[in-house]
Structure formats: C-alpha cells, structure tokens
Amino acid sequence: MDFSYFANIDWTQTGSVVLVGLVVVFAVLIILVLICMLLGKIFSSISKNSGSASKKEEKAPAKPVQTPSAPKQEVLPNVEAGVSEEVVAAITAAIACMMGPDKPFALRSVKRAKTGRSAWNAAGIAENTRPF
C-alpha cells in the first residue's frame, strides 16, 4: 500500500473544515429548538387567553333574574339558522329520555355539526389507506 497520498494532506485545514461544519450544524439545531420553544409559549398563551375569555362568557347568567311578581319566562334555545323546530323538538325529547324524569335540564343552543370531509376527500383517503 502506498500511503504517500495521506502525507500530502493538510490536516489542519481538514480539521478546521470539520470543526466549522460541526459548529454550524449544532448552532442551527439550537436555533431551531429555541424557535420551537418560543412558538410553543406563544400558542399556549393564546390558548390560555381564549380559554379565559370563554370562561368569562360562561360565567354570565343564562337566565334573566326574575322577581317573584313577574310571570316565569321560558328560555328558548339559541338555534342556528336552517335548523327546523321539529329537529329542536326531537333533540330535546332525546335528551329528556336520556336524562330521566327526575333530572331537570335546559337546552341552551342547537348548532349543526361540522362536516369533516367531502365525499371525494373521504374516497381518496379510503383508497390510499386500504390494506394490501
């Protein structure tokens, strides 16, 4: 074997290139970790702020304060546009059946469920995730 090739290599330059490469890679990794931690703190503070805002809304009394002389008012649920009265009545009857006769309840709102995926989207996912 001829080791004369290795005798002509400048080992100081090779070592410095390797060292600079390692320093750059680890510096970029540390910067990425710091960015991820910063984004995590930002999003957690945003979610805490939105959670406290919704708690303030929940603390508001749902029923108006009534005086003894005033007749009792029926609280109607907040119904989204497009939901018929029959659907609201059916939902209320189903809840009443599940709760039982001795447990009072109040239906506060009725909203349509968000549809997850379109038919084409669901078909594509089913096609691509089907087992072999």
Side-chain angles (χ1 to χ4, degrees):
M1 280 184 136
D2 186 24
F3 292 106
S4 64
Y5 173 75
F6 294 109
N8 295 332
I9 294 177
D10 184 13
W11 290 105
T12 57
Q13 185 180 7
T14 305
S16 65
V17 168
V18 169
L19 184 65
V20 168
L22 287 172
V23 168
V24 168
V25 167
F26 280 105
V28 170
L29 287 175
I30 290 171
I31 290 171
L32 286 175
V33 167
L34 292 175
I35 289 172
C36 289
M37 289 174 55
L38 179 67
L39 287 176
K41 290 191 186 283
I42 290 171
F43 287 127
S44 66
S45 68
I46 289 172
S47 66
K48 285 180 184 177
N49 289 342
S50 66
S52 64
S54 65
K55 287 181 183 178
K56 289 178 184 176
E57 292 173 2
E58 290 175 2
K59 289 182 182 179
K63 295 181 181 180
V65 178
Q66 298 176 355
T67 60
S69 63
K72 187 174 182 181
Q73 295 178 353
E74 184 177 334
V75 178
L76 297 176
N78 182 13
V79 180
E80 186 178 86
V83 179
S84 66
E85 293 178 4
E86 292 85 12
V87 172
V88 174
I91 292 171
T92 307
I95 294 172
C97 289
M98 293 298 294
M99 296 294 291
D102 56 340
K103 294 183 181 177
F105 70 94
L107 182 65
R108 303 224 186 266
S109 67
V110 177
K111 297 178 185 175
R112 287 197 182 273
K114 295 180 181 178
T115 56
R117 296 185 169 99
S118 67
W120 287 104
N121 192 346
I125 290 174
E127 176 72 24
N128 291 326
T129 57
R130 184 178 18 193
F132 297 104

